[in-house]
Amino acid sequence: MPETTSPQLLHLVFGGELEKIDGVTFKDLDALDIVGVYPNYATAHAAWKAKAQQTVDQAQTRYFIVHLHRLLDPDASATTS
């Protein structure tokens, strides 16, 4: 019986210090913290949450999740996370 594998839905988690707390322009691109690339949203969210909690006292530091799979295959269904 063939194995059923779920599709690879890559997500990037990264962050850094922003110029303004209400924007998304980074103060220093060379200092970006690339946390990693994850195979699904659940693991990316766990990594994002851990980094966000570590920097809770740094108001201008933000972490983001980028849905790489949507960039790699823009014609895919918009319902996938």
Side-chain angles (χ1 to χ4, degrees):
M1 182 175 260
E3 286 185 35
T4 304
T5 59
S6 51
Q8 196 176 59
L9 302 175
L10 298 177
H11 293 78
L12 167 67
V13 178
F14 76 102
E17 187 177 357
L18 300 174
E19 287 184 356
K20 300 177 186 177
I21 60 172
D22 60 348
V24 290
T25 302
F26 291 97
K27 194 176 248 185
D28 181 3
L29 291 178
D30 291 331
L32 282 181
D33 181 11
I34 307 298
V35 180
V37 177
Y38 299 89
N40 56 53
Y41 182 80
T43 55
H45 186 266
W48 167 85
K49 187 175 180 178
K51 291 303 279 191
Q53 287 176 342
Q54 288 174 8
T55 59
V56 71
D57 292 331
Q58 299 164 334
Q60 286 187 244
T61 300
R62 295 281 189 275
Y63 281 85
F64 301 90
I65 299 174
V66 177
H67 299 264
L68 292 178
H69 62 96
R70 292 181 183 167
L71 297 173
L72 295 170
D73 188 7
D75 294 331
S77 171
T79 60
T80 58
S81 292

